[in-house]
Structure formats: structure tokens, C-alpha cells
């Protein structure tokens, strides 16, 4: 190890950092060599504790990266957001500092932006973001453009028997304690560091002192127990420093040196000084918190960076952070602008915060910022105030030491939590909070960092850990990490009301109301005001209800018993801090209040909150090795399998806790609190979902822009006409502004949500719940849907079809017996000792394997464990107990209690299996000692090994047996080959091809018959040279709705995919049974291990004919394009999308287009598949049942969860109907909602156009519509029609053609313009005709009170019919919605509106109603003409626009996958 360290040291000194030297060598977040995906804890493959599909071979992650972090940072691609590389942008940190007015750094002109990113930065340029200093939410040197290692963690984990389960640099070799004796330890830091990617700043050339301190850390009260955090030097210098404008007389050095002393007296004396000074000069203390005094405390580390980049790995999000201060003069100028503009400037700044920064923000270095601007690549723009408070502790107590510092070598060393040059004292804690992540300023790196990954180096010293924390340390950690609470900030009613009322929509409403009031349209203005007020109140109630529900779900508080100052006390769980020791065996504690590590005792927990599966998980106490692994894993935020066995996740339920013998409590240590925990990350992902980037919503704003242009055109025409007829300026202004409120109606945004709200209500009635309403319309555009297998397409549980026992057939030869479908057939005896033949002996051993080889637990007299284990044990009909003392288990009992010989085994309690005498078909004797078996040791299931083992001892005999069960291909490798039946592979092939799951069992007798040997023997010794015993055959039945749903989707031309962690042959069998696969040939992917130059690296072999291969890279494959499908395994998937993959893009596209089975897929690979399909422009859906699917559920455009677990709540849709039929409901409602939104949008546009035409014509005559005419049109005609139009239910059949979501296209805009022209034509002709009649009454120019005229009356009558009949034309029925005839509400409303409009025509103008509507006399003949004219208008609107729509049909799709398929079809026809 020393040689390795020295070689690395010399390598670093020459600046040949491997990361800098070769960017392709950077490791994957999901690999064991580097960090995982989150600032929160991420569990690597821990399938040995929890697995839905055991022995399947795919890694199951107890807390997969895609769950905890809810995003996977592209393990298979370089997602360069803005071009440039990390290495180029981070070399020589202090040499790359940006000045205020300069570009951050010169960089190459060529950009290689990944298509996966489309940044929307406004304040920062792309160059600034790319070149700024980059920090990630992991400690690993990763960033947004890091090339990830494609090999997942579970394939890089070394075996359980080794010291660690990770191949990262071991902390043991860099022990904190050894740093005192060795300068090559990881506490030693090279003073003259020239590494390419150093996060530390340039050091001075003169020598610096070497600081040494105690080996203990912040858990020791002797380090920094002082309560007063204000440096003593501050008291001594007083007013002088306030008046001193220079940077001399810094407090940093002296403040740091105070921490070099371990003398408690010195600290107490310092305490007194602090206390006295604090009372004398409090005003100075507050003054020193101002940013301008920053360099007084950090003269050696001045703040010079103006920008930085932060990569939130768990959200795959790049954030730019800039430091600013407020310019007082410009701030006062802003106040004046707000006052004189009547608040319009304030509203503009509120809606577009970018202008606030430009108005009164001044760029300053990050360390001196009064407030920071955070802008994400998604366009989110936030301004957050920076907080400053006294801290006066070393940096290592609040921020994790970076990996660069840990790997530095040289002559200067320091100990953790002792201030030194590379661990400076932090007099003032500079921080801010963004998205519930706390960012703390690091003066050493001159950037803001998060402390989610903080660890204490003393945690490896278990005796120190057990002593608990001091009060002073707890105070410090409350300041550094905040309270242990996940409390969402719920806005007050006044805040929600204020935010809603100042929304641009309601401000436009307010403008319209004020305009109408000024123009004396009081009735209409009052009605719109009441409607707006009701809408705001409704939104207020819904917002408060939703936020309150989420806050209640996230909030948790309880009392815990914690060790403080070496005394046990009860505190609130919100007061827990990292390092606290608390009791987990407290009966009042039912849920873990934070992320913890189990120190003593053992417990069984339910992690369904994270995994979505209620399978109990056993936790064992941590050892010293585990604590080193904890420190090692937290550097990369990935929890290894080794650590996860002792890790207790926040929010998970405690099923059972056992106190170790001789102790009074089971203990755990807090490692993470609040939003840094796994549950905190889950809640954060729900509060801040990624924005919906759906074309319909993007186009809606363009569409409104198009209508605004029409309004401006009308505005211009009206102004010219008003000037010509000599209208007064006041009336002219009011009328012109009124046109804007007509063309862009205030009710437009509200009507768009009506269809979606109706769809949500109908889905809720079908037990399908949606937390993201904007996703409803997206469901109408789905192109492909991926399904998980187990629990989604198939039933959750497995049923045993039967077992095959391996029987001796002749000398040294074995064969399988017949399929036995009940346990009595396997071993039909009364005692396990009754074996009269070799066949009986084999059957007995196999039966004992069924009885004992499992990981079940007994909790409250109920068996809990993996469903497969449960079904297997249930098949035997025996009983399982963990209290062996009720039975005569003497031999084992006596040996276990020889405490002087086996003291380490005093707390081991074996489980016992025995016959169940209560079962009527039980044949075994219950009191026979041979029928009592003790499970004395278990080797848990490991996904890498794909097997588990147990050691068993019978009560009556002094013998120990070992039994193993697992995947057949694995068991055959560890068995004695002579014990394998000849037809071993043939029988496996038979069952897997027909959709069954096969588990193999094997066993042997241990060579030594002692208790000590059974406890000390290694797993490798147990799992070798086994005797094969037989097969267990499980059947996984399809759910009733599966086949029918898949058939419906195929008829609708929606592609279906299976994405599972199960065996590829089983997946293909289920695919064929469910008709997901309809192609006659299925080709399975294989890696060509011995491929030579020119040979393909991937082989595709026919599942039914191994000799039949497919060459995808040859042109002739197109000849059979429709006759086959592909089945891709996880290892090939990684090879395909590896950064270094040399396969052409066309090859990978073909695989994505043709594969319908993806087997052996890990959660991160499922996530990656969703993104790969999206890059082909598929609108992707995913339907799954567990949190191992959570990453895919969130990555897909539409995620439908079939689980009620909290982890799956983050999916947009959650169904309480646990089959895939809910997918059809989501698609049907999505299509109906999309078509409804489309129709409402078009209808509101036509309504605006009709009214715009009416008033424009009237303006030409100097007149207008009356107040009650406006009121009748807008409230009695339009609103009911818009609501009832949206009431139509979805059509019962899903059509092949998907509805359009493109609002801005010639296909939509040209027919709209034709419709507007028809409306104008059918209004202009009657208007021209009425002027030639004898009874024509000319309008009074400029009069708003007297609008009675024939022009007004005729246009009012004609437009009424147009409003109603246009709604009928636009009310689309099949194939997306039910026929209009089934929408009774709409028909009734249309009929009533038509009858009322006709009745209004025949009202006496001198009557009350006639005066109210300001009508004039019209001849009967003309009235009948208007009605006939309306019918002609209806048919014209029905046919002419559709004719023009047909002229603009899209000839070429913009979607990549359609173009690829088209090109392949062209080559096929050629």
C-alpha cells in the first residue's frame, strides 16, 4: 500500500492526474468505483436482503439510485450540457478565476452540445456556465459532462467474504489515526499541489507550519466546547477594525491558531473573554457579519469568483450561481419607477426576476454576496438571500473534506476538526437554502457547496462513538446541518392569495375590469370580477389542501432516547444531529426518524417506503470495517451492499428489534438528517418535478401571440377609422383597448383546464390518481409503453407448480423423477430419520432444503419474507419458530451455552422448523426429535452470486448440513458434476421456454461436526462441491387484464415493450403468452467474448434455433424487418450504449426500434432505456409496480405506478387497480382531454374573432355592442357552451391515429383563418343588406349609452347563431370522444341557447327585455332570412375549413423513429 501511495504521490506531483489525463477514465455514478446518483444516500445492489424476483440475476437495489435520487445521471452517455469538459474548465482553480467584467475564460469555439440537453440560461451565458468552477452534489470529481463508466455497481462489487464490497480507495489505508505516524495518510495534504483538477486554491510559496492535534473529532467536547462563537480577537481590536478599510489585521490566522490547543483551561479562558466581550460590544459583532468585512477574516483566501456551476446529480440538473449585492441608489430608483408606473414595474420584475437583477444588482464575488441568483438549465430563475451567522469552527466540522484533499500527499498534515491552512477556521457561516438543499460557502475553494455527504472521521473509532456527543458539539451541528425535520414551507393563506392575485392572467382580468368600469360596462365588469374572485378562492383552497397534504405526509416527529453528555435523555427527533447515539429498541419508536447506522442489536425493518415492496429486511450491527466503509461510501454517496446491511433509512418502519445479550438497549448512530436523508430526497423530487415540455403547451403561447397580432391589426384599423369619423380621444382610447380584451378573452386560460379537470375527475372515479394534471394531455400522444413483468403483467406471487427430485438411476448416474405437486409425494414418511433406500435419502435431503433454505422471519406469529421463500415453505406444510427453548433442542442448546468456549455465540438464537400437527394432512410425528431442525447460520441471497445458503443441524444428531438454492446455471457450477442428471439443461430449457421459473437446490454434509466450525466456516467453503438435489418449479401467472390490454394497444398501433430484471427466456415466454410478442422469430443478444477484428461484438441468436443468427449490421436484414423481434439483456444494453461503444448509431437505433424484450435490466438501465427511446422522439410511457421502477416512472413522459408505496407516489399517475388496464383509461382520457383542450382553444379563438368582427364593424359606424349584449354573449352563451363541450367522455375504442398536439401549423392556422373569414362574410352581408331596408336606424356616433341601431341589432342576432353553431362544428366526436349525441348536457344547452336566441329576435323592442338589450325593430322577413343565413353559415363552417385542412397534411414526420422506419421501408421496397 505504501508503494502504491508513493507512486501516486510522485504521479500527482507531476500533474498527471488520471482524471485530467484521460477524461474517458472517469467512473460512473452507478459503479462501485465512484459515486452514485444523489446527494442523498443511494444504495447499491443489495438484493441479498430484498428482491422481488430472487435468483434472477439482475441486481435489485434496496434503495436504488433511481429511487433515492430520483434521477440517474446518464450512466451510458456524456451529457455535455454546454460543450467543454470538466478538465478544461477546472484546471488550476486559482488560475481560472473570473474577473467582474471579463469573460470567465477563453474556450474553444466548437460546441458539442448533447441533444439530451437544451439549456435555457438568460443571466449567464453558456460560456460562463461551461467555464465556471464546477461543484457537484457528490464528493467524487463529477460534473454534468462526466463520462460515466457503463458497468453498474452490482457487477463491480467484490464478494461478501472480502473486507469491503467496494473497489474504491479504502479508508483503512488512510486512517485518521495513522495520519499522525504517516505522512502518506489521507489526512496528509500536499502543500504544493499542481494537480489538474484541484479544488484547493494556490498556496503561498513560503513554508507553512505543520499542524497536529488530537485524533478525536467533533464528538469530543474538549475540542470546541465554547458557546460564544465570536472570535476573541474581535473583542480586542474593537472599533479599530471597523474603521480600518484595509485587509490587514486579519482574524483568520489567529482565529485558526486558537484551535491548535487541546488545553481545556485555554478554552475556558477564551470562553470568558467571549462572554464579556459579547455583552460589551454587540453592535460591533452584528456589524462584522456584513459581507464587506469578508476579507478581514480571510485575508489569505480572498473571495474572487463571481460565478460557479453546481451540478445536482440526483436531479441531473445544472445550476448557475452568481453573487450579487444591492446598489442602494439603483434600489431607490427602482422604488420610484414602481411608484410612478403604478406598480407595473414591480409586476414586471415579479414575473421576470431577471430584470430585478439588472435593475439594482451589482456583481460581487460569491463570498461577499448579499444575495445569489440561481438559474437552472430548465429556465428556473431564483433569487435567494445569503445568510451569515457566527460559527468559529474548522471547515471540516461543516463541510466534507474533498477527495482531492484526501488524496494529496506532502509534508504538511493536519487532523480532522483542527484548524489549519487546508482546514481553515470558519468565523462566519455563509449559507443559503435552495430547493431545501443548504449551500455553504467554502473559503478554501471559493464556491458554495452542500454538506449532505459530511462524515466525522471519529466514527471509525467505535468506543468514541458509543460515548455520544457533548452539548457544545450538538449546538455546532444544529448550526451546520439544521434540524432533523422534513418540514415543507407551506405558504400562508395571504401569501397564496397574493401570489394568485398577481398572476398575469388575473392582472389582465383586473385591467379588463377597470377598462370596462371606466367605459361604464358595470354589469359585465361586476360579473367578471365575481367569477375571477371565485376562481382565486377555488385555487386558494386547492393549493392549500395539496400543500397541506404533502406537508403532513413528509412531517414526522417523535420522542427519542438519546445519549448526551454521557447521560440518557429524551429529546424530540427534530433535535437529532449527525453523530447522536439513540435507542432503536425503544417500544415507542416505530419509524426511524433519520438515516442511521445500527451499532448494536439487530432488527427487521420494512423498507416499502423506499422500495415499494413490503418485504422485511434484516439489519445487523456495524463493525469497525462497516464504519470505514461508511466513510468511504459517503465520499461518493453510494451505499455498498456491505454497508446497507447495517444502514437504517429514514421513514422505514421497524418491525422488530432485538437487544443483544448483556445489554439494555439496541443502539444506532445518526448519520444524516432532514432533507439530506433518503426520505428527504423523495419529498424534494415530489415538490420540484421536472417541467412538462409538451408541444401543446408550448404552442398555446404562440397561438395566443398569433391572436394578439390579429388584435393589433384590429386596433390599428379602428384607430384610423375613429380619427376619420372624429371620435373624441377618450372614447377612441377605450374602444381601442377594448379590442384587446375581446381578441384575447380573459376566460381563455380557464377554459383550457376544463377538459383536463373533467378527465381527472373521471380517472379518480376509476381509482386512478394524478399528481401532475399537465400530464393528462401528454397521455393522449403515447407512442410506446414499457411494462415491468412481475407484479405488472404477471401476478405478484409465485405458485409452486411442483418439484423434481434428482434420483439415482444407476451407478453414479442420476435422473429427474416425476413432477411432484405436493409435499407428501416428495418424502412420504413419518420421520426424517426413516430412510430405507438411496432414493429416500435424496428425497429427505431435498425436503430439508425446502424446509430450511430461506430467509423468513417470524414477527407477531406471522411469517414475513420474500414471496418466493414464503411459497416454498408453505408448500411443505411445516411450522417455523424462532424460540427454540420450547422444544428439546438439547445438543445445540448445550453447545451454544458453553460461554467460556464460545462467548462470541452467546447472542445467536437459531430458528427451528418442525411438523405442523394442526394440519389434517400432516404425516410427520410432531414429537419425534428427528423432525426438529435448527437453522444455525444463514448466508443471505446475493444478487452477484444469485444464490443463498444455510447451515442446518437436526435436534437428535450431532451433524451439520449445508443447503444452497439459487439460479440453475449458478448451482450447476458449484455442484459435483457427477451428481447432475443428464437432462439437466434440457429440463431447464423446457420450463423456461414455457414461462416457468426454476430454482435449483443442492446440499452437503459439513466435514466437521462442531458448533465452532459451523460458525467459522466461510461461504466459499460451504458453497463448493455440493450434491445436486432437485428443482423447484414456480409458475408466474398472467393477470387477467394483461393479454386483452396488450391486444388493444397493438390494435391502436401503440408499441409495447417488456422491461424486467427476470431471465430473458422467461420474459420471452411471458411475452408470447401475453401476445406482447407477435413476431414468429425472436433473437436473443449475446456478447461475442472472443470476437476477432472484423467480427461483430454482439451476436443475435434465434431463441428456438441456436444456429439461426441475425446480422443487424448487414443491409440485407431489412428483407426480414417485419418477421422478427429482438430480446436485449442488461449486459448487452450496457455495451450498446457505453461511451466507448464503436457500434454505429444506426445499429443502436435498429435495436431500439426492434427490441420488445429487455431482460436482466437494473433500475438505472430501465431509466436509461426511457431516455434512449425519447431521443428517438417517442412519447414514452412506463407502467410498473415497485420503487425499483421509480426512476423509469419519472423519466418516462407518462409514468403509471401500480403501487401505493410512498416511493411510487412520485409517479404522475398512481392506480389502485393493480393491473395494466389502467393504461387504457389514461390513454383514452388523455386523448379526449387533448382533443377537448384543442377544441376549446379553437372555440375561444373563434368566439373572440366573431366578437372582434362585430365590434370592428360597429366601430366603423362609431357604435358598439350594449352592456347586456356583452353580458349575454360572454356569460349566458359562451361559458355554458365551453363547459358542456368539455363534458364529452372518451370514445370506447382507441384509434390508430393519434390526435394532433400542434396548435401552430398551417394545418390549424389556415382553416382557422378560413373560419374567421367565413364569420366576417356571414356578418358583413346582412349588415350591408340592412342598410338598404326602409326600417333601417342609423347608429349615433360615439354614444355608449344609446347604441340602439339596426347595425347593432342585426350583428347581435347573426353573431349569436355563430357562437352557438361554431361550438357544434368544433365539438369533435369519434374517434377520440363519444358522439355529440351522447353529451346530453351539451345538446340541451345548444337547444336552449338557439331557442332563446330565436325568441330574442321576436321580442318587442319597446318591452323591458328589448330595452335591456337595446334592440330595434326588424322585419319578420329579415328575421327569417337571418335564421336561414345561420343554417347556411353552419354548413359552410362544417365543410370549407376541413377542405383547406386536407391541403396541408404533413408529408414527412418530424419524429426520428418514424423517419428511420420510413427509410427502412423504402430500402425494403427497393
Amino acid at each position: 500500500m505504501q508503494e502504491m501511495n508513493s507512486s501516486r504521490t510522485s504521479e500527482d506531483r507531476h500533474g498527471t492526474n488520471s482524471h485530467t489525463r484521460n477524461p474517458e477514465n472517469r467512473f460512473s455514478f452507478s459503479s462501485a468505483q465512484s459515486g452514485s446518483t444523489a446527494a442523498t444516500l443511494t444504495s447499491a445492489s443489495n438484493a441479498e436482503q430484498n428482491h422481488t424476483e430472487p435468483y434472477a440475476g439482475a441486481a435489485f437495489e434496496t434503495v436504488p439510485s433511481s429511487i433515492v435520487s430520483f434521477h440517474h445521471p446518464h450512466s451510458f452517455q456524456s451529457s455535455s450540457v454546454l460543450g467543454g469538459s470538466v478538465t478544461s474548465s477546472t484546471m488550476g482553480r486559482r488560475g481560472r478565476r473570473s474577473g467582474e467584467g471579463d469573460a470567465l475564460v477563453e474556450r474553444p469555439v466548437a460546441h458539442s452540445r448533447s441533444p439530451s440537453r437544451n439549456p435555457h440560461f438568460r443571466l449567464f451565458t453558456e460560456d460562463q456556465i461551461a467555464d465556471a468552477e464546477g461543484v457537484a452534489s457528490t464528493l467524487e470529481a463529477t460534473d454534468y459532462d462526466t463520462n460515466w463508466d457503463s458497468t453498474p455497481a452490482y457487477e463491480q462489487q467484490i464478494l461478501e467474504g472480502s473486507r469491503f464490497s467496494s473497489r474504491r480507495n479504502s479508508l483503512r489505508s488512510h486512517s485518521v489515526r495513522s495520519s499522525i505516524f504517516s505522512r502518506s495518510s489521507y489526512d496528509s495534504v500536499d502543500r504544493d499541489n499542481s494537480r489538474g483538477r484541484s479544488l484547493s486554491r494556490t498556496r503561498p510559496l513560503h513554508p507553512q507550519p505543520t499542524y497536529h492535534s488530537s485524533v478525536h473529532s467533533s464528538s469530543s467536547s474538549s475540542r470546541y466546547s465554547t458557546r460564544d462563537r465570536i472570535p476573541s480577537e474581535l473583542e480586542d481590536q474593537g472599533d479599530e477594525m471597523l474603521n480600518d478599510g484595509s485587509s490587514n489585521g486579519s482574524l483568520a490566522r489567529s482565529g485558526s491558531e486558537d484551535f491548535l490547543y487541546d488545553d481545556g483551561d485555554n478554552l475556558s479562558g477564551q470562553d470568558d473573554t467571549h462572554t464579556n466581550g459579547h455583552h460589551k460590544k454587540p453592535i460591533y459583532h452584528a456589524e462584522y457579519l456584513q459581507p464587506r468585512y469578508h476579507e478581514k477574516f480571510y485575508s489569505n483566501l480572498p473571495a474572487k469568483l463571481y460565478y460557479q456551476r453546481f451540478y445536482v446529480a440526483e436531479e441531473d440538473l445544472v445550476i448557475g450561481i452568481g453573487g450579487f449585492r444591492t446598489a442602494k441608489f439603483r434600489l431607490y430608483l427602482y422604488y420610484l419607477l414602481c411608484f410612478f408606473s403604478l406598480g407595473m414595474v414591480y409586476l414586471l420584475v415579479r414575473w421576470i426576476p431577471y430584470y430585478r437583477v439588472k435593475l439594482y444588482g451589482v456583481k460581487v464575488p460569491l463570498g461577499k454576496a448579499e444575495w445569489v441568483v440561481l438559474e437552472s438549465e430548465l429556465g428556473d430563475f431564483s433569487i435567494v438571500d445569503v445568510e451569515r451567522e457566527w460559527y468559529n469552527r474548522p471547515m471540516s466540522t461543516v463541510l466534507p473534506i474533498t477527495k482531492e484533499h484526501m488524496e494529496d500527499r506532502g509534508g504538511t498534515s493536519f487532523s480532522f476538526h483542527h484548524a489549519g491552512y487546508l482546514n481553515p477556521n470558519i468565523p462566519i457561516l455563509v449559507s443559503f437554502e435552495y430547493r431545501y438543499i443548504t449551500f455553504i460557502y467554502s473559503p478554501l475553494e471559493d464556491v458554495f457547496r452542500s454538506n449532505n455527504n459530511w462524515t466525522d472521521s471519529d466514527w471509525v473509532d467505535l468506543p468514541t462513538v458509543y460515548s455520544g456527543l457533548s452539548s457544545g458539539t450538538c449546538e455546532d451541528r444544529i448550526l451546520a446541518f439544521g434540524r432533523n425535520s422534513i418540514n415543507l414551507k407551506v405558504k400562508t393563506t395571504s401569501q397564496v392569495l397574493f401570489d394568485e392575485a398577481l398572476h398575469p392572467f388575473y392582472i389582465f382580468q383586473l385591467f379588463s375590469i377597470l377598462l370596462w368600469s371606466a367605459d361604464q360596462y358595470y354589469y359585465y365588469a361586476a360579473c367578471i370580477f365575481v367569477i375571477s374572485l371565485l376562481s382565486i378562492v377555488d385555487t386558494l383552497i386547492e393549493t392549500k389542501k395539496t400543500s397541506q397534504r404533502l406537508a403532513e405526509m413528509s412531517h414526522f416527529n417523535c420522542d427519542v432516547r438519546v445519549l448526551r453528555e454521557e447521560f440518557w435523555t429524551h429529546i424530540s427527533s427534530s433535535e437529532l444531529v449527525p453523530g447522536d447515539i439513540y435507542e432503536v429498541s425503544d417500544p415507542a419508536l416505530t419509524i426511524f426518524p433519520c438515516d442511521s447506522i445500527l451499532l448494536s442489536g439487530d432488527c427487521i425493518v420494512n423498507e416499502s417506503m423506499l422500495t415499494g415492496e413490503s418485504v422485511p429486511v434484516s439489519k445487523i450491527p456495524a463493525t469497525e470495517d462497516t464504519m470505514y466503509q461508511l466513510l468511504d461510501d459517503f465520499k461518493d454517496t453510494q451505499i455498498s451492499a456491505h454497508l446497507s446491511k447495517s444502514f437504517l433509512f429514514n421513514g422505514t418502519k421497524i418491525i422488530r428489534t432485538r437487544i443483544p445479550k448483556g445489554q439494555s438497549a439496541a443502539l444506532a448512530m445518526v448519520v444524516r438528517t432532514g432533507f439530506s436523508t433518503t426520505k428527504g430526497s423523495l419529498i424534494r423530487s415530489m415538490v420540484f418535478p421536472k417541467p412538462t415540455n409538451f408541444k401543446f403547451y408550448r404552442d398555446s403561447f404562440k397561438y395566443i401571440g398569433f391572436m394578439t397580432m390579429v388584435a393589433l391589426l384590429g386596433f390599428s384599423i379602428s384607430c384610423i377609422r375613429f380619427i376619420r369619423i372624429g371620435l373624441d380621444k377618450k372614447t377612441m382610447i377605450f374602444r381601442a383597448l377594448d379590442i384587446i380584451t375581446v381578441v384575447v378573452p380573459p376566460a381563455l386560460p380557464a377554459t383550457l383546464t376544463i377538459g383536463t379537470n373533467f378527465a381527472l375527475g373521471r380517472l379518480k372515479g376509476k381509482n386512478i390518481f394524478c399528481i401532475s394534471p399537465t400530464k393528462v394531455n401528454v397521455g393522449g400522444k403515447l407512442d410506446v409503453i414499457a411494462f415491468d413483468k412481475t407484479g405488472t403483467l404477471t401476478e405478484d406471487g409465485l405458485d409452486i407448480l411442483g418439484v423434481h427430485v434428482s434420483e439415482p438411476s444407476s451407478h453414479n448416474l442420476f435422473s429427474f423423477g416425476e413432477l411432484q405437486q405436493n409435499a407428501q409425494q416428495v418424502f412420504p414418511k413419518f420421520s426424517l430419520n426413516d430412510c430405507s433406500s438411496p432414493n429416500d435419502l435424496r428425497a429427505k435431503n431435498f425436503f430439508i432444503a425446502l424446509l430450511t433454505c430461506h430467509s423468513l422471519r417470524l414477527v407477531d406469529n406471522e411469517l414475513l419474507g420474500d414471496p418466493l421463500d414464503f411459497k416454498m415453505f408453505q408448500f411443505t406444510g411445516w411450522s417455523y419458530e424462532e424460540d427454540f427453548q420450547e422444544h428439546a433442542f438439547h445438543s445445540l442448546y448445550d453447545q451454544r451455552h458453553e460461554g467460556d468456549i464460545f462467548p462470541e455465540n452467546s447472542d445467536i438464537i437459531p430458528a427451528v422448523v418442525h411438523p405442523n400437527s394442526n394440519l389434517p394432512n400432516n404425516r410427520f410425528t410432531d414429537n419425534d426429535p428427528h423432525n426438529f431442525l435448527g437453522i444455525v447460520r444463514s448466508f443471505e441471497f446475493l444478487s452477484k452470486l444469485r444464490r443463498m445458503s444455510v447451515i442446518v443441524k437436526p435436534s437428535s444428531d450431532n451433524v451439520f448440513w449445508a443447503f444452497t438454492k439459487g439460479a440453475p446455471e449458478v448451482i450447476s457450477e458449484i455442484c459435483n458434476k457427477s451428481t447432475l442428471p443428464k437432462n439437466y439443461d434440457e429440463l431447464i430449457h423446457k420450463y423456461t421456454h414455457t414461462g416457468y421459473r426454476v430454482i435449483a437446490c443442492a446440499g452437503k454434509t459439513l466435514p466437521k461436526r462442531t458448533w465452532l466450525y459451523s460458525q467459522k466456516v466461510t461461504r466459499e467453503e460451504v458453497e463448493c462441491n455440493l450434491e445436486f438435489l432437485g428443482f423447484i418449479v414456480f409458475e408466474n401467472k398472467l393477470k387477467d387484464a394483461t393479454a386483452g390490454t396488450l391486444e388493444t394497444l397493438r390494435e391502436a398501433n401503440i408499441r409495447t415493450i417488456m422491461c424486467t430484471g427476470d431471465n430473458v427466456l422467461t420474459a420471452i415466454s411471458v411475452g408470447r403468452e401475453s401476445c406482447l410478442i407477435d413476431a414468429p422469430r425472436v433473437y436473443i443478444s449475446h456478447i461475442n467474448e472472443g470476437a476477432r477484428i472484423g467480427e461483430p461484438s454482439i451476436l443475435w441468436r434465434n431463441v428456438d434455433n441456436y444456429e439461426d443468427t441475425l446480422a443487424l449490421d448487414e443491409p440485407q436484414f431489412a428483407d426480414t424487418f417485419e418477421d422478427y423481434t429482438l430480446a436485449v439483456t442488461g449486459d448487452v444494453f450496457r455495451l450498446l450504449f457505453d461511451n466507448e461503444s464503436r457500434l454505429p448509431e444506426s445499429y443502436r437505433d435498429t435495436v431500439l426500434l426492434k427490441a420488445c424484450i429487455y431482460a436482466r435490466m437494473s433500475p438505472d438501465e430501465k431509466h436509461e432505456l426511457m431516455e434512449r427511446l425519447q431521443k428517438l422522439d417517442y412519447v414514452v410511457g412506463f407502467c410498473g409496480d415497485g420503487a425499483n421502477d421509480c426512476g423509469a416512472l419519472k423519466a418516462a413522459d407518462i409514468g403509471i405506478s401500480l403501487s401505493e408505496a410512498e416511493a411510487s407516489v412520485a409517479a404522475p399517475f398512481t392506480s389502485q387497480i393493480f393491473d395494466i388496464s389502467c393504461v387504457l383509461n389514461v390513454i383514452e382520457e388523455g386523448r379526449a382531454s387533448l382533443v377537448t383542450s384543442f377544441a376549446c382553444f379553437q372555440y375561444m379563438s373563434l368566439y373572440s374573432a366573431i366578437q372582434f368582427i362585430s365590434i370592428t364593424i360597429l366601430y366603423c359606424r362609431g357604435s358598439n355592442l350594449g352592456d347586456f349584449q356583452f353580458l349575454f354573449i360572454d356569460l349566458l352563451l359562451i361559458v355554458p357552451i365551453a363547459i358542456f363541450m368539455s363534458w364529452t367522455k372518451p370514445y370506447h375504442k382507441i384509434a390508430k391515429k393519434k390526435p394532433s398536439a400542434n396548435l401552430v401549423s398551417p394545418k390549424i392556422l389556415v382553416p382557422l383563418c378560413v373560419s374567421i373569414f367565413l364569420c366576417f362574410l356571414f356578418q358583413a352581408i346582412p349588415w350591408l343588406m340592412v342598410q338598404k331596408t326602409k326600417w333601417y336606424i342609423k347608429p349615433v356616433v360615439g354614444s355608449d349609452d344609446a347604441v340602439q341601431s339596426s347595425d347593432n341589432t342585426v350583428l347581435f342576432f347573426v353573431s349569436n347563431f355563430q357562437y352557438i353553431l361554431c361550438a357544434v362544428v368544433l365539438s369533435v366526436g369519434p374517434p377520440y370522444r363519444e358522439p355529440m349525441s351522447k353529451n346530453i348536457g351539451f345538446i340541451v344547452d345548444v337547444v336552449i341557447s338557439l331557442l332563446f336566441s330565436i325568441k330574442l329576435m321576436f321580442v318587442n323592442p319597446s318591452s323591458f327585455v328589448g330595452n335591456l338589450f337595446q334592440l330595434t325593430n326588424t322585419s319578420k322577413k329579415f328575421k327569417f332570412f337571418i335564421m336561414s343565413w345561420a343554417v347556411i353559415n353552419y354548413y359552410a363552417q362544417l365543410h370549407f375549413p376541413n377542405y383547406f385542412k386536407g391541403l396541408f397534411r404533413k408529408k414527412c414526420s418530424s419524429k426520428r423513429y418514424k423517419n428511420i422506419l420510413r427509410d427502412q421501408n423504402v430500402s425494403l421496397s427497393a
Side-chain angles (χ1 to χ4, degrees), residues 213-373:
S213 61
S214 168
V215 294
H216 298 296
S217 75
S218 60
S219 59
S220 170
S221 60
S222 67
R223 184 76 60 262
Y224 44 87
S225 59
T226 172
R227 296 296 182 88
D228 198 334
R229 303 180 179 280
I230 302 170
S232 58
E233 292 79 7
L234 198 61
E235 308 297 338
D236 300 336
Q237 299 183 30
D239 308 81
E240 300 172 7
M241 288 189 65
L242 283 174
N243 299 323
D244 183 8
S246 69
S247 299
N248 298 327
S250 167
L251 298 179
R253 181 179 297 276
S254 56
S256 300
E257 288 169 355
D258 282 339
F259 285 92
L260 300 180
Y261 301 101
D262 291 330
D263 190 341
D265 295 337
N266 176 279
L267 284 173
S268 62
Q270 184 177 332
D271 235 359
D272 295 337
T273 307
H274 284 186
T275 305
N276 296 334
H278 180 71
H279 291 295
K280 290 176 183 176
K281 301 174 182 178
I283 187 169
Y284 297 141
H285 304 161
E287 176 67 20
Y288 280 125
L289 290 176
Q290 298 298 321
R292 64 176 177 272
Y293 293 105
H294 179 84
E295 291 187 359
K296 294 287 185 183
F297 298 95
Y298 300 107
S299 61
N300 294 332
L301 298 169
K304 296 186 177 180
L305 286 180
Y306 288 81
Y307 307 100
Q308 76 169 84
R309 180 181 64 246
F310 191 91
Y311 177 61
V312 185
E314 63 268 32
E315 299 180 36
D316 190 28
L317 190 66
V318 177
I319 298 172
I321 304 175
F324 289 86
R325 68 172 176 84
T326 301
K328 293 282 182 67
F329 174 76
R330 288 158 67 178
L331 179 64
Y332 295 141
L333 186 63
Y334 162 72
Y335 289 153
L336 286 174
L337 287 172
C338 292
F339 178 78
F340 287 114
S341 66
L342 302 178
M344 291 307 297
V345 172
Y346 169 77
L347 289 174
L348 181 68
V349 168
R350 181 182 178 84
W351 296 335
I352 312 174
Y354 169 79
Y355 292 120
R356 173 183 166 186
V357 179
K358 291 296 183 184
L359 275 171
Y360 59 82
V362 178
K363 285 186 289 184
V364 294
L366 292 167
K368 299 180 180 180
E370 295 177 2
W371 41 276
V372 291
V373 172

Side-chain angles (χ1 to χ4, degrees), residues 918-938:
N918 296 325
L919 285 181
N921 57 351
N922 173 52
R923 302 180 63 176
F924 290 93
T925 307
D926 194 21
N927 56 5
D928 185 348
H930 295 99
N931 292 342
F932 284 86
L933 304 171
I935 305 170
V936 299
R937 192 177 176 194
S938 295

Side-chain angles (χ1 to χ4, degrees), residues 210 354 366 510 606 635 694 709 759 1057 1061 1068 1191 1201 1282 1288 1308 1425:
T210 301
Y354 169 79
L366 292 167
L510 180 63
N606 182 345
K635 287 189 296 181
F694 188 44
M709 289 173 60
I1057 287 173
I1068 291 172
S1201 168
T1288 307
I1308 300 298
F1425 164 74

Side-chain angles (χ1 to χ4, degrees), residues 1275-1308:
L1275 297 184
L1276 298 183
L1277 283 185
I1278 303 303
V1279 172
I1281 284 175
I1283 292 173
F1284 285 113
M1285 271 182 72
S1286 307
W1287 213 354
T1288 307
K1289 295 179 181 178
Y1291 196 54
H1292 65 274
K1293 185 178 179 181
I1294 301 177
K1296 285 189 175 184
K1297 182 175 174 57
K1298 301 172 188 66
S1300 174
N1302 191 354
L1303 272 172
V1304 183
S1305 68
K1307 184 181 176 181
I1308 300 298

Side-chain angles (χ1 to χ4, degrees), residues 754-764 776 1229-1230 1233:
I754 294 173
T756 302
N757 290 335
F758 281 136
L760 287 172
R762 288 191 292 264
L763 286 172
K764 191 174 182 180
V776 174
E1229 293 292 353
S1233 174

Side-chain angles (χ1 to χ4, degrees), residues 1338-1357:
K1338 191 175 180 181
V1340 178
V1341 176
S1343 174
D1344 284 335
D1345 296 325
V1347 296
Q1348 291 96 334
S1349 67
S1350 297
D1351 306 63
N1352 172 288
T1353 302
V1354 169
L1355 289 175
F1356 176 65
F1357 289 156

